Amino acid sequence: MLGQAEGLKQEPKIISVVSGKGGVGKSLIAVNLSIAMNKLGKKVLLYDIDIGFGSVEILLGSSAKLTMKDYFQNKTSLDNIIMKTKYDIDIISGGLDVEDLVYFNIGNKDSLFKDFSRVMSKYDFIILDFPPGYNENLENFYESSDFMVLITTSEPTSLINAYTFLKMMAVKGIDPDELHVVLNMARDMKDARKCMERFIGVIERFIGMSPSATHIMRFDNSVRKSVENQKPFVVEKKTSQPSLVIYRLANLITKERKIKEKKTFLDKLKAFLRIG
Ligand SMILES: Nc1ncnc2c1ncn2[C@@H]1O[C@H](COP(=O)(O)OP(=O)(O)OP(=O)(O)O)[C@@H](O)[C@H]1O
Ligand SMILES: [Mg+2]
């Protein structure tokens, strides 16, 4: 049954890794964050919602035989599409295209809900790796998030698209408990800090959102290498600046907090599956 009913295990929390623009490091951060959280003793399911081909799988050097598409086409059970990895995190590969997302809207809601609540309640955290940009077909996923990790670089186009993403969220009334902003691929820390300060100032002033924490990740050749070698950098280069940033993020997200739950996991799951 669900974690709540057990009275022992906490309900799973959902972390969404998003960005306005593509290629800013979402998948890389989602994969490494999953592993770091696992090292902190959490059971993690990484769900690659990325449309088309699975970057998570490439980054982990393993490939899923079955995807969500097979589940939606009733070819297999939800349990069968969960892939174990050598890093002790489990992954689900989306393998969906935009039209397939319609399944979330028209599929058999009762069985979807049963399957998802049973499978997801085994985890402490579910990390969702998104395609870039605000996508209305994915709103149910954004809505179900407890934590939103927004990745940008200091490039103006990336910042503007990140701003637009948050603006869309605000317009739609999507309000995660915590927003973390990561400025990735920083080449100069002083410039990056200034850029972050300006960005936060703008979103506070014009959107009325305040991030819980900000993070600056350096451009680092070891990150590039880790992608080429298909070996996550939090494992390969534990003390590099990008690894320390990921561990700080993991620590902040996993720390005990006494915030009052706005929604139960079941409510969030309903949003996720667009029920009710
Ligand atoms: N801190 C960094 N230092 C060096 N290279 C980086 C860093 N972060 C990301 N990269 C490079 O950027 C590439 C793109 O990263 P990634 O695939 O995670 O982006 P993404 O946001 O998921 O892209 P998409 O929007 O296409 O899904 C990586 O393969 C890596 O080479
Ligand atoms: Mg990606």
Side-chain angles (χ1 to χ4, degrees), residues 234-247:
V234 288
V235 177
E236 286 295 289
K237 270 278 200 156
K238 287 188 194 112
T239 54
S240 65
Q241 195 271 353
S243 289
L244 298 178
V245 170
I246 295 287
Y247 272 102

Side-chain angles (χ1 to χ4, degrees), residues 17-19 26 49-51 129-133 135 138 142 165:
V17 182
V18 301
S19 74
K26 286 181 299 301
I49 304 182
D50 223 334
I51 299 178
D129 177 24
F130 280 86
N135 184 332
L138 297 174
Y142 306 138
F165 190 101

Side-chain angles (χ1 to χ4, degrees), residues 39-80:
K39 303 254 180 236
L40 296 175
K42 304 297 175 192
K43 200 160 163 30
V44 179
L45 174 68
L46 174 56
Y47 185 166
D48 184 356
I49 304 182
D50 223 334
I51 299 178
F53 80 113
S55 34
V56 161
E57 295 166 49
I58 296 168
L59 290 167
L60 284 166
S62 40
S63 79
K65 291 187 182 61
L66 296 164
T67 67
M68 277 301 274
K69 202 171 182 116
D70 300 292
Y71 165 72
F72 280 135
Q73 292 174 343
N74 287 321
K75 288 190 189 148
T76 190
S77 70
L78 192 57
D79 302 79
N80 280 342

Side-chain angles (χ1 to χ4, degrees), residues 80-94:
N80 280 342
I81 64 165
I82 294 181
M83 192 175 77
K84 307 254 174 246
T85 66
K86 55 187 163 200
Y87 301 102
D88 254 353
I89 54 167
D90 293 349
I91 65 174
I92 290 186
S93 187

